[in-house]
Amino acid sequence: MSTKEIALNYPIAYINHILQNAPFFKPVQKGKREINLIINHKYSNGDSMTIFAQEQLDIKDEDLFLSILAITYISFRGTLIDSSSELYKDLNSNFETMKSIKITTTRYELLKELNISPQSTTSIKWVEASLNRLRSTKFILNTNKLDGEYMSRLISFKISTTSSNTKIIEIALNTYICNNFLQSNILKGGIISHNRQERMSLKKEISRALHSYLNALVNVKKSRLFNINTLVEKLYRVDINTINKYNKSKKRKSIKDGLVEINNLELWEIDFIASDLVKIIRK
């Protein structure tokens, strides 16, 4: 039975492959969110990134981040800002020659894009807490494509209240992402597109995490083989050889359950070839 896609106003999100492949987000058990993290990541081309997170970003935080990216690019309502802006300054970017893009939105719009009830007090508190987690996450990128280290927060934001008592949210994206938007690199490659209608139709967080990961590695009309243990290590950021038998089994089952849900999407096919091997097909 195929999963019905959710209708969204901003169905596609674009992200630079460098940030897409960085380990910002992972599945987090309720009440077990890690704090004060320093994550070092190496890319196959020799680039490296260090991530500083006050709180671990989870998959729902990634849902929100992708919705912000989608609104920014697809709506064309963003405003260019530079180092004279307070939102820009709050990004703490060390490349002040790069522009940032600011969007103005509301908690209602963000929650609707996440298919979450905007009437819930809990949801309203969550979206503000998630924005704070995204803002408090910083990264330093070392790449030969730039002259020196690049440093920034993921986003900056400000909430204000209008005369009609409406909460307005201004969000600025880090300039590394914006530089790709402004140079039209989306059309030149090096950019990952996310079908958010597919993603937000997936109920399990691990399914959405897998969807994000596989999006970057399996091209349309192509297929690829994956080892289940490798997926466990990539998605949960663990060494499969250092966790006990129970946790290993639990995480492997979670990955398989997520793949089964993705298999219900119209444009994906999952073929379990062996207990440790799965073939991912994009139609």
Side-chain angles (χ1 to χ4, degrees), residues 93-186:
S93 173
N94 62 333
F95 269 72
E96 294 190 353
T97 56
M98 292 183 179
K99 303 277 189 182
S100 176
I101 302 174
K102 178 191 77 173
I103 61 165
T104 301
T105 183
T106 62
R107 297 177 303 189
Y108 180 89
E109 179 178 46
L110 292 174
L111 288 168
K112 287 291 285 184
E113 280 301 300
L114 297 175
N115 199 36
I116 297 173
S117 170
Q119 311 301 332
S120 163
T121 302
T122 301
S123 298
I124 290 170
K125 289 180 179 178
W126 171 83
V127 79
E128 293 187 8
S130 182
L131 286 168
N132 273 309
R133 284 191 291 272
L134 291 169
R135 177 191 170 274
S136 65
T137 300
K138 306 173 186 177
F139 65 96
I140 297 175
L141 173 64
N142 284 283
T143 173
N144 55 20
K145 294 181 181 179
L146 294 174
D147 184 18
E149 292 182 338
Y150 173 86
M151 176 178 67
S152 180
R153 299 182 188 274
L154 272 180
I155 67 166
S156 65
F157 77 98
K158 181 178 73 173
I159 299 178
S160 55
T161 306
T162 66
S163 57
S164 60
N165 208 33
T166 301
K167 294 270 190 179
I168 297 296
I169 307 175
E170 295 176 290
I171 303 172
L173 287 169
N174 70 75
T175 57
Y176 192 76
I177 285 180
C178 295
N179 191 52
N180 284 278
F181 286 167
L182 297 173
Q183 292 184 3
S184 298
N185 284 347
I186 287 170

Side-chain angles (χ1 to χ4, degrees), residues 194-205:
H194 288 267
N195 183 330
R196 295 187 56 251
Q197 291 187 154
E198 281 188 346
R199 177 188 176 92
M200 297 314 300
S201 69
L202 298 168
K203 304 300 183 185
K204 294 178 171 51
E205 288 190 21

